[in-house]
Amino acid sequence: MSEERAGYIFVDGMADTDPRDTLIGLSRERLGESEFIPFSRIDGLSDVEADHYLVCRCAEQMTAKLALSRAQGRSGWHTQNCSEDHLRDLLREHVEKGDMVDVLNLAGMILVRQEAQEHWLPCGHLASHGHKDK
């Protein structure tokens, strides 16, 4: 089951399904056969369309994998209980395994933590989530 808000699909309810099958099915259902772009057709896209498709597909896969991980009890990448060194070790391990969705998620976790340390988070974003500027 998914929930759609303002163009985003939230997939927490899909923790017991294969995210690849589910997301492909949701994309095909939402877009319709004429608009659905399977991987075999990306070579005909413009650079802008290919970049947009890349970002959308990565975000979908990352969201689904994070939901699966939370359902399995994993959490806390953004807390002091999880070091950036630990995330970097996990990143190297997942590169070796060839699990590119985990690589994307772990690299993203490291990036977000670095941005937070450098105070790059937008003030409006922090305020909208109940946080105060430092």
Side-chain angles (χ1 to χ4, degrees):
M1 177 175 289
S2 68
E3 179 180 347
E4 189 173 337
R5 287 189 198 149
Y8 295 95
I9 296 177
F10 299 95
V11 294
D12 275 352
M14 293 187 229
D16 60 344
T17 62
D18 182 340
R20 291 182 190 114
D21 291 341
T22 302
L23 292 172
I24 289 170
L26 280 173
S27 297
R28 183 174 278 132
E29 177 184 306
R30 182 166 183 219
L31 297 173
E33 287 297 325
S34 63
E35 296 293 318
F36 177 72
I37 303 170
F39 284 113
S40 61
R41 290 184 41 208
I42 62 172
D43 63 340
L45 299 176
S46 71
D47 289 343
V48 171
E49 291 169 328
D51 290 351
H52 179 74
Y53 185 71
L54 166 73
V55 170
C56 290
R57 289 293 298 149
C58 288
E60 290 170 351
Q61 293 293 323
M62 292 169 70
T63 300
K65 191 71 174 254
L66 289 168
L68 289 169
S69 294
R70 282 192 308 276
Q72 295 170 348
R74 294 188 195 103
S75 63
W77 64 267
H78 58 288
T79 68
Q80 292 180 354
N81 294 332
C82 180
S83 71
E84 193 173 313
D85 287 338
H86 176 66
L87 292 173
R88 288 179 184 279
D89 290 342
L90 289 173
L91 177 61
R92 282 188 284 278
E93 289 174 22
H94 286 278
V95 167
E96 290 299 317
K97 283 187 199 177
D99 186 340
M100 294 302 114
V101 178
D102 279 343
V103 168
L104 287 167
N105 279 331
L106 289 161
M109 290 171 189
I110 293 166
L111 175 67
V112 168
R113 287 174 64 118
Q114 288 174 343
E115 288 178 345
Q117 291 170 1
E118 296 171 12
H119 306 286
W120 285 4
L121 291 177
C123 295
H125 174 76
L126 292 175
S128 69
H129 288 81
H131 300 286
K132 296 180 182 176
D133 293 330
K134 290 184 179 183

